[in-house]
Amino acid sequence: MKGLKLATAVVACGLFFAPPVLASAAEASRAAEDPGAYAELVALLEREISAQLTRHLQEKGRLRQVTVSVAMDPQKRRMVVDFGPGYLPGNDQNFGELFLVPLAADLRHYSDQAGLGILDVEFLFQGKPMEVHFPEDHPAPKAAKSRSAHTQALVSSSHGYIALHPSRAWEFQRPAPLGLQEDVLSPAYGDELQGLLEQRSGLVVHRARSRSTDPHPESGQPWEHMSARYHLKALLPERADIWNELPNSADSDREVKEDIRARPNYANHLGVDVMLSLHTNGNPAPSVRGAEVYHHRAKPEDKALGDSILCGMRELIHAQPGYKNYPVRAESAADGHGENRIGKMPSVIVETAYHSNPDDVAALQDPVFRSASMKGVEKGYRLWASGKTCEPLALHPVPDTDVPIQAARDIELGYAGNPQYPLSVELSLATCSEAGACTPWATTFDDPAKPLTINLACNGPSPGVARWSVVLRDADGVATTPVEFTQACVRA
């Protein structure tokens, strides 16, 4: 995506935000209330967005000047960009997705640098959202069936080779600034997610791209490297409405736009219950990194799905050694991706990491990270589908317990969260009143329907006290913070 040249804006922000440390929400709010500072920032943003739009239109052969106005609400973490007459991208331009989505990402990034932390960037056209101008192309999603009745999913993994017009030259859709090609990498993440959805969520999973290594006849490239558009053309040759929506377009990237549409068109054709799109992200600023999820503003019910997926990813990724501080957004963001708009079912885009950041590139090539991130996506979906709240795994406090000498006592452990069974309960020793008399131990629980009951025994002949530290760990490596309690061996 193209970088928004806002170095001057960031410098100006330094007049009222403290660089390079981001301002707190309270500081950002106070700064935004300063009329002079707010007006200066807005004016800079308006000039830069206008310049970006002018260059974009010139690339399309359109010479025109379009007014741009910006308004921000730091309390709601929201920015509204309103384009005046002269720019209203329609269906043949994918509603401006290839320009507006990268622009929104840049605006979020620079708002982060300025300390505002804008999450929601909405674009208006002469004061109205896109769906008001094109209601026929922004239909309300169909009434969702009960989430508990979900049976099918479509997993769409990234982009792939595309033919440019009129040369018919074949190119990958995504850049690889650090040598990592998203178009080739993401299908392996799709394989991981497919297996998890089948095994843990019990879904039938369809794929938008082929996983065959046979050569694609026209390009000579392996089928697994081709975009969904060509796989669906081969799979459903009679359904050109799915993969060839813009046959009369003269744009060189016509098939790029058709590929974007083909994936949700296929999901609608199959009638799946959920569509999960997997990508890696990119930004001209190499410092930008982390996991993000996007839903479509016209489908606000999908935000809960996106938030749950981010929660699951955060839990699973942070549980792995070396990834405790990996950045994962707190909330999914609204954006104008066609994959989410056209799909009539709940559908979100998962941006697992940034292929433009060296630390993220290393993570993306790590099977541990791949497994953890996709387990998080599946878990977030499963909890959302079952109506459960995603929450951290935590042991309830364990009461201090007296046990008679030469006897034993069962105690039940309670916990919050949604662990993956089997679970292990691990007791390590904090202190023991008699050296060598207390032995660390662990036990495993396989049945989610049964309580976690551990047996505390006092087998020695004399009174004594042990201070235990107990940890609950699930099958995916997610562990609770240790909880301590005392076991006293007493005379009856």
Side-chain angles (χ1 to χ4, degrees), residues 64-97:
R64 62 186 65 155
Q65 187 70 35
V66 178
T67 60
V68 176
S69 64
V70 172
M72 290 183 289
D73 186 340
Q75 297 285 358
K76 295 182 179 179
R77 303 175 67 192
R78 185 167 182 264
M79 180 187 300
V80 177
V81 179
D82 193 355
F83 297 102
Y87 180 58
L88 181 60
N91 185 58
D92 62 329
Q93 302 169 60
N94 266 37
F95 303 100
E97 175 179 351

PDB file of all heavy atoms in Angstrom, residues 64-97:
ATOM      1  N   ARG A  64      -8.692  16.231 -12.049  1.00  0.00           N
ATOM      2  CA  ARG A  64      -9.694  17.017 -11.324  1.00  0.00           C
ATOM      3  C   ARG A  64      -9.213  17.258  -9.896  1.00  0.00           C
ATOM      4  O   ARG A  64      -8.391  16.504  -9.367  1.00  0.00           O
ATOM      5  CB  ARG A  64     -11.048  16.315 -11.308  1.00  0.00           C
ATOM      6  CG  ARG A  64     -11.056  14.964 -10.608  1.00  0.00           C
ATOM      7  CD  ARG A  64     -12.394  14.264 -10.749  1.00  0.00           C
ATOM      8  NE  ARG A  64     -12.684  13.929 -12.125  1.00  0.00           N
ATOM      9  CZ  ARG A  64     -13.485  12.946 -12.507  1.00  0.00           C
ATOM     10  NH1 ARG A  64     -14.084  12.194 -11.594  1.00  0.00           N
ATOM     11  NH2 ARG A  64     -13.711  12.698 -13.776  1.00  0.00           N
ATOM     12  N   GLN A  65      -9.706  18.319  -9.315  1.00  0.00           N
ATOM     13  CA  GLN A  65      -9.399  18.660  -7.938  1.00  0.00           C
ATOM     14  C   GLN A  65     -10.645  18.402  -7.100  1.00  0.00           C
ATOM     15  O   GLN A  65     -11.734  18.877  -7.420  1.00  0.00           O
ATOM     16  CB  GLN A  65      -8.994  20.141  -7.824  1.00  0.00           C
ATOM     17  CG  GLN A  65      -8.491  20.547  -6.453  1.00  0.00           C
ATOM     18  CD  GLN A  65      -7.128  19.951  -6.111  1.00  0.00           C
ATOM     19  OE1 GLN A  65      -6.284  19.807  -6.994  1.00  0.00           O
ATOM     20  NE2 GLN A  65      -6.917  19.610  -4.861  1.00  0.00           N
ATOM     21  N   VAL A  66     -10.481  17.635  -6.037  1.00  0.00           N
ATOM     22  CA  VAL A  66     -11.604  17.265  -5.181  1.00  0.00           C
ATOM     23  C   VAL A  66     -11.352  17.817  -3.779  1.00  0.00           C
ATOM     24  O   VAL A  66     -10.271  17.636  -3.215  1.00  0.00           O
ATOM     25  CB  VAL A  66     -11.777  15.736  -5.111  1.00  0.00           C
ATOM     26  CG1 VAL A  66     -12.925  15.367  -4.187  1.00  0.00           C
ATOM     27  CG2 VAL A  66     -12.005  15.168  -6.507  1.00  0.00           C
ATOM     28  N   THR A  67     -12.342  18.510  -3.219  1.00  0.00           N
ATOM     29  CA  THR A  67     -12.202  19.016  -1.858  1.00  0.00           C
ATOM     30  C   THR A  67     -12.283  17.855  -0.859  1.00  0.00           C
ATOM     31  O   THR A  67     -12.980  16.858  -1.084  1.00  0.00           O
ATOM     32  CB  THR A  67     -13.291  20.041  -1.527  1.00  0.00           C
ATOM     33  OG1 THR A  67     -14.574  19.411  -1.655  1.00  0.00           O
ATOM     34  CG2 THR A  67     -13.217  21.240  -2.454  1.00  0.00           C
ATOM     35  N   VAL A  68     -11.550  17.992   0.235  1.00  0.00           N
ATOM     36  CA  VAL A  68     -11.509  16.969   1.278  1.00  0.00           C
ATOM     37  C   VAL A  68     -11.683  17.659   2.625  1.00  0.00           C
ATOM     38  O   VAL A  68     -11.014  18.657   2.906  1.00  0.00           O
ATOM     39  CB  VAL A  68     -10.180  16.194   1.266  1.00  0.00           C
ATOM     40  CG1 VAL A  68     -10.126  15.197   2.432  1.00  0.00           C
ATOM     41  CG2 VAL A  68      -9.977  15.467  -0.058  1.00  0.00           C
ATOM     42  N   SER A  69     -12.574  17.131   3.443  1.00  0.00           N
ATOM     43  CA  SER A  69     -12.714  17.644   4.811  1.00  0.00           C
ATOM     44  C   SER A  69     -12.541  16.488   5.788  1.00  0.00           C
ATOM     45  O   SER A  69     -12.940  15.354   5.507  1.00  0.00           O
ATOM     46  CB  SER A  69     -14.079  18.313   5.020  1.00  0.00           C
ATOM     47  OG  SER A  69     -15.129  17.374   4.892  1.00  0.00           O
ATOM     48  N   VAL A  70     -11.932  16.785   6.932  1.00  0.00           N
ATOM     49  CA  VAL A  70     -11.639  15.777   7.949  1.00  0.00           C
ATOM     50  C   VAL A  70     -12.206  16.228   9.281  1.00  0.00           C
ATOM     51  O   VAL A  70     -12.086  17.397   9.651  1.00  0.00           O
ATOM     52  CB  VAL A  70     -10.109  15.557   8.084  1.00  0.00           C
ATOM     53  CG1 VAL A  70      -9.794  14.649   9.272  1.00  0.00           C
ATOM     54  CG2 VAL A  70      -9.540  14.957   6.802  1.00  0.00           C
ATOM     55  N   ALA A  71     -12.836  15.304   9.980  1.00  0.00           N
ATOM     56  CA  ALA A  71     -13.308  15.555  11.346  1.00  0.00           C
ATOM     57  C   ALA A  71     -12.914  14.360  12.196  1.00  0.00           C
ATOM     58  O   ALA A  71     -12.981  13.215  11.745  1.00  0.00           O
ATOM     59  CB  ALA A  71     -14.817  15.765  11.380  1.00  0.00           C
ATOM     60  N   MET A  72     -12.497  14.611  13.435  1.00  0.00           N
ATOM     61  CA  MET A  72     -12.055  13.541  14.323  1.00  0.00           C
ATOM     62  C   MET A  72     -12.789  13.617  15.652  1.00  0.00           C
ATOM     63  O   MET A  72     -13.094  14.702  16.143  1.00  0.00           O
ATOM     64  CB  MET A  72     -10.543  13.622  14.557  1.00  0.00           C
ATOM     65  CG  MET A  72      -9.726  13.269  13.339  1.00  0.00           C
ATOM     66  SD  MET A  72      -7.952  13.294  13.688  1.00  0.00           S
ATOM     67  CE  MET A  72      -7.691  15.060  13.860  1.00  0.00           C
ATOM     68  N   ASP A  73     -13.049  12.448  16.198  1.00  0.00           N
ATOM     69  CA  ASP A  73     -13.638  12.328  17.528  1.00  0.00           C
ATOM     70  C   ASP A  73     -12.732  11.402  18.338  1.00  0.00           C
ATOM     71  O   ASP A  73     -12.912  10.188  18.325  1.00  0.00           O
ATOM     72  CB  ASP A  73     -15.052  11.753  17.444  1.00  0.00           C
ATOM     73  CG  ASP A  73     -15.781  11.749  18.785  1.00  0.00           C
ATOM     74  OD1 ASP A  73     -15.081  11.819  19.826  1.00  0.00           O
ATOM     75  OD2 ASP A  73     -17.020  11.660  18.800  1.00  0.00           O
ATOM     76  N   PRO A  74     -11.734  11.976  19.060  1.00  0.00           N
ATOM     77  CA  PRO A  74     -10.801  11.125  19.805  1.00  0.00           C
ATOM     78  C   PRO A  74     -11.479  10.279  20.873  1.00  0.00           C
ATOM     79  O   PRO A  74     -11.011   9.175  21.170  1.00  0.00           O
ATOM     80  CB  PRO A  74      -9.832  12.135  20.431  1.00  0.00           C
ATOM     81  CG  PRO A  74      -9.943  13.362  19.587  1.00  0.00           C
ATOM     82  CD  PRO A  74     -11.368  13.396  19.137  1.00  0.00           C
ATOM     83  N   GLN A  75     -12.562  10.776  21.454  1.00  0.00           N
ATOM     84  CA  GLN A  75     -13.244  10.002  22.488  1.00  0.00           C
ATOM     85  C   GLN A  75     -13.782   8.690  21.915  1.00  0.00           C
ATOM     86  O   GLN A  75     -13.709   7.648  22.557  1.00  0.00           O
ATOM     87  CB  GLN A  75     -14.390  10.827  23.099  1.00  0.00           C
ATOM     88  CG  GLN A  75     -13.924  12.083  23.817  1.00  0.00           C
ATOM     89  CD  GLN A  75     -13.291  11.779  25.159  1.00  0.00           C
ATOM     90  OE1 GLN A  75     -13.230  10.627  25.578  1.00  0.00           O
ATOM     91  NE2 GLN A  75     -12.799  12.800  25.840  1.00  0.00           N
ATOM     92  N   LYS A  76     -14.323   8.754  20.700  1.00  0.00           N
ATOM     93  CA  LYS A  76     -14.857   7.564  20.038  1.00  0.00           C
ATOM     94  C   LYS A  76     -13.824   6.899  19.130  1.00  0.00           C
ATOM     95  O   LYS A  76     -14.135   5.909  18.475  1.00  0.00           O
ATOM     96  CB  LYS A  76     -16.104   7.920  19.225  1.00  0.00           C
ATOM     97  CG  LYS A  76     -17.272   8.399  20.074  1.00  0.00           C
ATOM     98  CD  LYS A  76     -18.492   8.691  19.208  1.00  0.00           C
ATOM     99  CE  LYS A  76     -19.682   9.140  20.059  1.00  0.00           C
ATOM    100  NZ  LYS A  76     -20.861   9.458  19.220  1.00  0.00           N
ATOM    101  N   ARG A  77     -12.616   7.465  19.091  1.00  0.00           N
ATOM    102  CA  ARG A  77     -11.528   6.938  18.265  1.00  0.00           C
ATOM    103  C   ARG A  77     -11.959   6.837  16.802  1.00  0.00           C
ATOM    104  O   ARG A  77     -11.735   5.835  16.130  1.00  0.00           O
ATOM    105  CB  ARG A  77     -11.041   5.593  18.799  1.00  0.00           C
ATOM    106  CG  ARG A  77     -10.580   5.631  20.239  1.00  0.00           C
ATOM    107  CD  ARG A  77     -10.221   4.258  20.750  1.00  0.00           C
ATOM    108  NE  ARG A  77      -9.051   3.733  20.072  1.00  0.00           N
ATOM    109  CZ  ARG A  77      -8.652   2.468  20.149  1.00  0.00           C
ATOM    110  NH1 ARG A  77      -9.332   1.613  20.887  1.00  0.00           N
ATOM    111  NH2 ARG A  77      -7.579   2.045  19.503  1.00  0.00           N
ATOM    112  N   ARG A  78     -12.568   7.913  16.302  1.00  0.00           N
ATOM    113  CA  ARG A  78     -13.200   7.877  14.979  1.00  0.00           C
ATOM    114  C   ARG A  78     -12.755   9.081  14.160  1.00  0.00           C
ATOM    115  O   ARG A  78     -12.628  10.191  14.670  1.00  0.00           O
ATOM    116  CB  ARG A  78     -14.716   7.883  15.145  1.00  0.00           C
ATOM    117  CG  ARG A  78     -15.521   7.732  13.865  1.00  0.00           C
ATOM    118  CD  ARG A  78     -16.975   7.445  14.208  1.00  0.00           C
ATOM    119  NE  ARG A  78     -17.789   7.244  13.028  1.00  0.00           N
ATOM    120  CZ  ARG A  78     -18.517   8.199  12.453  1.00  0.00           C
ATOM    121  NH1 ARG A  78     -18.544   9.411  13.003  1.00  0.00           N
ATOM    122  NH2 ARG A  78     -19.232   7.956  11.372  1.00  0.00           N
ATOM    123  N   MET A  79     -12.519   8.844  12.869  1.00  0.00           N
ATOM    124  CA  MET A  79     -12.208   9.909  11.914  1.00  0.00           C
ATOM    125  C   MET A  79     -13.157   9.792  10.732  1.00  0.00           C
ATOM    126  O   MET A  79     -13.429   8.695  10.245  1.00  0.00           O
ATOM    127  CB  MET A  79     -10.756   9.783  11.420  1.00  0.00           C
ATOM    128  CG  MET A  79     -10.337  10.849  10.411  1.00  0.00           C
ATOM    129  SD  MET A  79      -8.679  10.538   9.693  1.00  0.00           S
ATOM    130  CE  MET A  79      -7.649  10.572  11.147  1.00  0.00           C
ATOM    131  N   VAL A  80     -13.671  10.918  10.291  1.00  0.00           N
ATOM    132  CA  VAL A  80     -14.551  10.950   9.116  1.00  0.00           C
ATOM    133  C   VAL A  80     -13.885  11.801   8.052  1.00  0.00           C
ATOM    134  O   VAL A  80     -13.520  12.956   8.306  1.00  0.00           O
ATOM    135  CB  VAL A  80     -15.946  11.524   9.461  1.00  0.00           C
ATOM    136  CG1 VAL A  80     -16.797  11.605   8.196  1.00  0.00           C
ATOM    137  CG2 VAL A  80     -16.637  10.654  10.505  1.00  0.00           C
ATOM    138  N   VAL A  81     -13.693  11.226   6.866  1.00  0.00           N
ATOM    139  CA  VAL A  81     -13.122  11.922   5.715  1.00  0.00           C
ATOM    140  C   VAL A  81     -14.228  12.078   4.681  1.00  0.00           C
ATOM    141  O   VAL A  81     -14.803  11.081   4.220  1.00  0.00           O
ATOM    142  CB  VAL A  81     -11.937  11.139   5.115  1.00  0.00           C
ATOM    143  CG1 VAL A  81     -11.365  11.876   3.908  1.00  0.00           C
ATOM    144  CG2 VAL A  81     -10.860  10.914   6.171  1.00  0.00           C
ATOM    145  N   ASP A  82     -14.532  13.317   4.323  1.00  0.00           N
ATOM    146  CA  ASP A  82     -15.634  13.584   3.389  1.00  0.00           C
ATOM    147  C   ASP A  82     -15.067  14.146   2.090  1.00  0.00           C
ATOM    148  O   ASP A  82     -14.411  15.197   2.085  1.00  0.00           O
ATOM    149  CB  ASP A  82     -16.610  14.584   4.010  1.00  0.00           C
ATOM    150  CG  ASP A  82     -17.929  14.666   3.233  1.00  0.00           C
ATOM    151  OD1 ASP A  82     -18.032  14.017   2.176  1.00  0.00           O
ATOM    152  OD2 ASP A  82     -18.836  15.385   3.686  1.00  0.00           O
ATOM    153  N   PHE A  83     -15.304  13.431   0.979  1.00  0.00           N
ATOM    154  CA  PHE A  83     -14.855  13.872  -0.341  1.00  0.00           C
ATOM    155  C   PHE A  83     -15.972  14.671  -1.011  1.00  0.00           C
ATOM    156  O   PHE A  83     -17.135  14.241  -1.032  1.00  0.00           O
ATOM    157  CB  PHE A  83     -14.498  12.675  -1.225  1.00  0.00           C
ATOM    158  CG  PHE A  83     -13.345  11.865  -0.699  1.00  0.00           C
ATOM    159  CD1 PHE A  83     -13.564  10.657  -0.044  1.00  0.00           C
ATOM    160  CD2 PHE A  83     -12.047  12.305  -0.849  1.00  0.00           C
ATOM    161  CE1 PHE A  83     -12.511   9.905   0.435  1.00  0.00           C
ATOM    162  CE2 PHE A  83     -10.977  11.559  -0.363  1.00  0.00           C
ATOM    163  CZ  PHE A  83     -11.206  10.361   0.285  1.00  0.00           C
ATOM    164  N   GLY A  84     -15.605  15.824  -1.580  1.00  0.00           N
ATOM    165  CA  GLY A  84     -16.580  16.641  -2.286  1.00  0.00           C
ATOM    166  C   GLY A  84     -16.855  16.103  -3.679  1.00  0.00           C
ATOM    167  O   GLY A  84     -16.402  15.011  -4.057  1.00  0.00           O
ATOM    168  N   PRO A  85     -17.600  16.855  -4.505  1.00  0.00           N
ATOM    169  CA  PRO A  85     -17.933  16.416  -5.870  1.00  0.00           C
ATOM    170  C   PRO A  85     -16.673  16.110  -6.678  1.00  0.00           C
ATOM    171  O   PRO A  85     -15.648  16.775  -6.538  1.00  0.00           O
ATOM    172  CB  PRO A  85     -18.695  17.623  -6.437  1.00  0.00           C
ATOM    173  CG  PRO A  85     -19.235  18.336  -5.240  1.00  0.00           C
ATOM    174  CD  PRO A  85     -18.201  18.162  -4.168  1.00  0.00           C
ATOM    175  N   GLY A  86     -16.772  15.089  -7.510  1.00  0.00           N
ATOM    176  CA  GLY A  86     -15.658  14.731  -8.378  1.00  0.00           C
ATOM    177  C   GLY A  86     -15.030  13.396  -8.068  1.00  0.00           C
ATOM    178  O   GLY A  86     -14.232  12.886  -8.860  1.00  0.00           O
ATOM    179  N   TYR A  87     -15.379  12.817  -6.910  1.00  0.00           N
ATOM    180  CA  TYR A  87     -14.844  11.485  -6.591  1.00  0.00           C
ATOM    181  C   TYR A  87     -15.932  10.649  -5.956  1.00  0.00           C
ATOM    182  O   TYR A  87     -16.331  10.864  -4.814  1.00  0.00           O
ATOM    183  CB  TYR A  87     -13.656  11.585  -5.632  1.00  0.00           C
ATOM    184  CG  TYR A  87     -13.084  10.226  -5.270  1.00  0.00           C
ATOM    185  CD1 TYR A  87     -12.622   9.359  -6.264  1.00  0.00           C
ATOM    186  CD2 TYR A  87     -13.009   9.808  -3.948  1.00  0.00           C
ATOM    187  CE1 TYR A  87     -12.108   8.110  -5.939  1.00  0.00           C
ATOM    188  CE2 TYR A  87     -12.476   8.562  -3.609  1.00  0.00           C
ATOM    189  CZ  TYR A  87     -12.031   7.722  -4.617  1.00  0.00           C
ATOM    190  OH  TYR A  87     -11.527   6.485  -4.303  1.00  0.00           O
ATOM    191  N   LEU A  88     -16.429   9.701  -6.749  1.00  0.00           N
ATOM    192  CA  LEU A  88     -17.431   8.751  -6.259  1.00  0.00           C
ATOM    193  C   LEU A  88     -17.179   7.425  -6.967  1.00  0.00           C
ATOM    194  O   LEU A  88     -17.769   7.132  -8.006  1.00  0.00           O
ATOM    195  CB  LEU A  88     -18.856   9.261  -6.529  1.00  0.00           C
ATOM    196  CG  LEU A  88     -19.992   8.350  -6.041  1.00  0.00           C
ATOM    197  CD1 LEU A  88     -19.926   8.149  -4.534  1.00  0.00           C
ATOM    198  CD2 LEU A  88     -21.352   8.926  -6.440  1.00  0.00           C
ATOM    199  N   PRO A  89     -16.260   6.622  -6.435  1.00  0.00           N
ATOM    200  CA  PRO A  89     -15.902   5.362  -7.108  1.00  0.00           C
ATOM    201  C   PRO A  89     -17.055   4.372  -7.065  1.00  0.00           C
ATOM    202  O   PRO A  89     -17.603   4.082  -6.008  1.00  0.00           O
ATOM    203  CB  PRO A  89     -14.704   4.857  -6.306  1.00  0.00           C
ATOM    204  CG  PRO A  89     -14.880   5.454  -4.943  1.00  0.00           C
ATOM    205  CD  PRO A  89     -15.527   6.791  -5.159  1.00  0.00           C
ATOM    206  N   GLY A  90     -17.418   3.864  -8.234  1.00  0.00           N
ATOM    207  CA  GLY A  90     -18.555   2.961  -8.312  1.00  0.00           C
ATOM    208  C   GLY A  90     -18.166   1.507  -8.380  1.00  0.00           C
ATOM    209  O   GLY A  90     -17.042   1.114  -8.041  1.00  0.00           O
ATOM    210  N   ASN A  91     -19.080   0.715  -8.882  1.00  0.00           N
ATOM    211  CA  ASN A  91     -18.924  -0.730  -8.908  1.00  0.00           C
ATOM    212  C   ASN A  91     -17.720  -1.154  -9.727  1.00  0.00           C
ATOM    213  O   ASN A  91     -16.973  -2.056  -9.336  1.00  0.00           O
ATOM    214  CB  ASN A  91     -20.203  -1.367  -9.472  1.00  0.00           C
ATOM    215  CG  ASN A  91     -20.159  -2.878  -9.430  1.00  0.00           C
ATOM    216  OD1 ASN A  91     -20.005  -3.458  -8.374  1.00  0.00           O
ATOM    217  ND2 ASN A  91     -20.292  -3.508 -10.589  1.00  0.00           N
ATOM    218  N   ASP A  92     -17.490  -0.489 -10.879  1.00  0.00           N
ATOM    219  CA  ASP A  92     -16.388  -0.887 -11.748  1.00  0.00           C
ATOM    220  C   ASP A  92     -15.023  -0.573 -11.135  1.00  0.00           C
ATOM    221  O   ASP A  92     -13.996  -1.062 -11.596  1.00  0.00           O
ATOM    222  CB  ASP A  92     -16.511  -0.210 -13.114  1.00  0.00           C
ATOM    223  CG  ASP A  92     -16.445   1.308 -13.019  1.00  0.00           C
ATOM    224  OD1 ASP A  92     -16.879   1.853 -11.979  1.00  0.00           O
ATOM    225  OD2 ASP A  92     -15.971   1.941 -13.972  1.00  0.00           O
ATOM    226  N   GLN A  93     -15.019   0.250 -10.092  1.00  0.00           N
ATOM    227  CA  GLN A  93     -13.770   0.577  -9.390  1.00  0.00           C
ATOM    228  C   GLN A  93     -13.699  -0.095  -8.019  1.00  0.00           C
ATOM    229  O   GLN A  93     -12.897   0.300  -7.174  1.00  0.00           O
ATOM    230  CB  GLN A  93     -13.657   2.092  -9.226  1.00  0.00           C
ATOM    231  CG  GLN A  93     -13.684   2.864 -10.543  1.00  0.00           C
ATOM    232  CD  GLN A  93     -13.845   4.354 -10.307  1.00  0.00           C
ATOM    233  OE1 GLN A  93     -13.024   4.984  -9.656  1.00  0.00           O
ATOM    234  NE2 GLN A  93     -14.914   4.917 -10.832  1.00  0.00           N
ATOM    235  N   ASN A  94     -14.552  -1.098  -7.813  1.00  0.00           N
ATOM    236  CA  ASN A  94     -14.608  -1.789  -6.517  1.00  0.00           C
ATOM    237  C   ASN A  94     -14.831  -0.795  -5.380  1.00  0.00           C
ATOM    238  O   ASN A  94     -14.319  -0.960  -4.284  1.00  0.00           O
ATOM    239  CB  ASN A  94     -13.342  -2.602  -6.258  1.00  0.00           C
ATOM    240  CG  ASN A  94     -13.481  -4.050  -6.693  1.00  0.00           C
ATOM    241  OD1 ASN A  94     -14.116  -4.325  -7.721  1.00  0.00           O
ATOM    242  ND2 ASN A  94     -12.912  -4.963  -5.952  1.00  0.00           N
ATOM    243  N   PHE A  95     -15.589   0.236  -5.699  1.00  0.00           N
ATOM    244  CA  PHE A  95     -15.927   1.254  -4.708  1.00  0.00           C
ATOM    245  C   PHE A  95     -14.680   1.841  -4.047  1.00  0.00           C
ATOM    246  O   PHE A  95     -14.684   2.191  -2.875  1.00  0.00           O
ATOM    247  CB  PHE A  95     -16.897   0.690  -3.666  1.00  0.00           C
ATOM    248  CG  PHE A  95     -18.146   0.156  -4.286  1.00  0.00           C
ATOM    249  CD1 PHE A  95     -18.305  -1.204  -4.502  1.00  0.00           C
ATOM    250  CD2 PHE A  95     -19.158   1.000  -4.715  1.00  0.00           C
ATOM    251  CE1 PHE A  95     -19.447  -1.702  -5.120  1.00  0.00           C
ATOM    252  CE2 PHE A  95     -20.295   0.515  -5.332  1.00  0.00           C
ATOM    253  CZ  PHE A  95     -20.448  -0.838  -5.539  1.00  0.00           C
ATOM    254  N   GLY A  96     -13.623   1.981  -4.871  1.00  0.00           N
ATOM    255  CA  GLY A  96     -12.406   2.640  -4.412  1.00  0.00           C
ATOM    256  C   GLY A  96     -11.582   1.836  -3.435  1.00  0.00           C
ATOM    257  O   GLY A  96     -10.642   2.374  -2.830  1.00  0.00           O
ATOM    258  N   GLU A  97     -11.860   0.550  -3.296  1.00  0.00           N
ATOM    259  CA  GLU A  97     -11.190  -0.257  -2.267  1.00  0.00           C
ATOM    260  C   GLU A  97      -9.674  -0.211  -2.365  1.00  0.00           C
ATOM    261  O   GLU A  97      -8.972  -0.095  -1.351  1.00  0.00           O
ATOM    262  CB  GLU A  97     -11.663  -1.708  -2.340  1.00  0.00           C
ATOM    263  CG  GLU A  97     -10.936  -2.632  -1.388  1.00  0.00           C
ATOM    264  CD  GLU A  97     -11.434  -4.070  -1.464  1.00  0.00           C
ATOM    265  OE1 GLU A  97     -12.453  -4.333  -2.131  1.00  0.00           O
ATOM    266  OE2 GLU A  97     -10.799  -4.934  -0.846  1.00  0.00           O
TER     267      GLU A  97
END
